[in-house]
Amino acid sequence: MRTLAATLISLCLFAVAAAAQAPHQGANGMPKPEDIRAVAPALEGYAQKFIVDDLWKRTGLSRRDRGIVTVAALIARDQIVELPHYLALALDSGVKASEISEIITHLAFYTGWANAMDAIPAAREVFKSRNIGADQLPPALGPQLSLDEAAEKQRATRVGEQFGQTTPSLVEYTTDVLFRDLWLRPALAPRDRSLVTVSALIATGQVAQIAYHLNRAMDNGLTREEAGEVLGHLAFYAGWPNAFSAAPVVKDVIEKRPH
């Protein structure tokens, strides 16, 4: 595992260096209201009326959680133009720099390495503008959260029986890297890590994975009302089809959970 970690870190450093040298798309490219109005007046009106004046003020999900959900969705969909704005908004809404760092790391595994790397330049500029240094970010290695060994053994056994003969590497990495390492990193609370995962799955239309991770999110403290609000929020940031594709799964999970 230490060899694997060293290899992954080397790849990350190489990718970040390459991203820094490449033209940076959209770091300061979010259109201003007047720019939107010049092209699509109705769009600017909808944005003000429903996103600024309504969506972000709804009480079913805190502004902090909305920041987490939005950042997760933008990274998952590799939509970098608006990312600096929403990273700043997330920080202003109570999300810590250490949590943003961990969200990006987490999403490398759940939405692909390249998407996480694309988020690095935007986050670096936002951190730099706020004098956020390495001392405010989670270390690469350190103490981990405790693991529910019985539950993890059950999960690993089930996945191993299903896919161990077909793709042993996937099964091994899932156990060793994700559930015995990534999910135990303390800089992002389990409930928030689950919220990031569910948001990314909904935003990218990965319906098959939602039930497991939504149940995990609710085991970790996400409420029924919050789960429903995540769908309403993501309709604006990932599109109505993705929200409605996920809605039956979310409904089924909520209805089957004990009250």
Side-chain angles (χ1 to χ4, degrees), residues 148 150-152 154-155 158 179 183 189-195 198 210-227 253-254 256-259:
D148 184 336
E152 171 53 21
Q154 185 179 47
R155 183 211 61 79
R158 183 177 66 253
F179 288 101
W183 277 87
R191 180 255 190 203
D192 296 338
R193 197 174 287 278
S194 289
L195 180 60
V198 170
I210 292 173
Y212 171 80
H213 283 287
L214 181 57
N215 271 301
R216 189 181 180 100
M218 297 180 79
D219 288 343
N220 288 331
L222 190 73
T223 68
R224 290 172 172 81
E225 182 182 17
E226 289 169 339
V253 168
I254 290 174
K256 287 182 177 178
R257 289 184 67 85
H259 288 276

Side-chain angles (χ1 to χ4, degrees), residues 93-129:
S93 300
V95 183
K96 299 176 183 177
S98 59
E99 292 170 329
I100 288 176
S101 173
E102 206 65 23
I103 288 169
I104 294 171
T105 301
H106 187 85
L107 289 175
F109 293 89
Y110 282 90
T111 67
W113 226 251
N115 285 23
M117 294 304 167
D118 280 350
I120 292 294
R124 184 176 183 275
E125 289 304 311
V126 172
F127 285 1
K128 183 179 180 181
S129 71

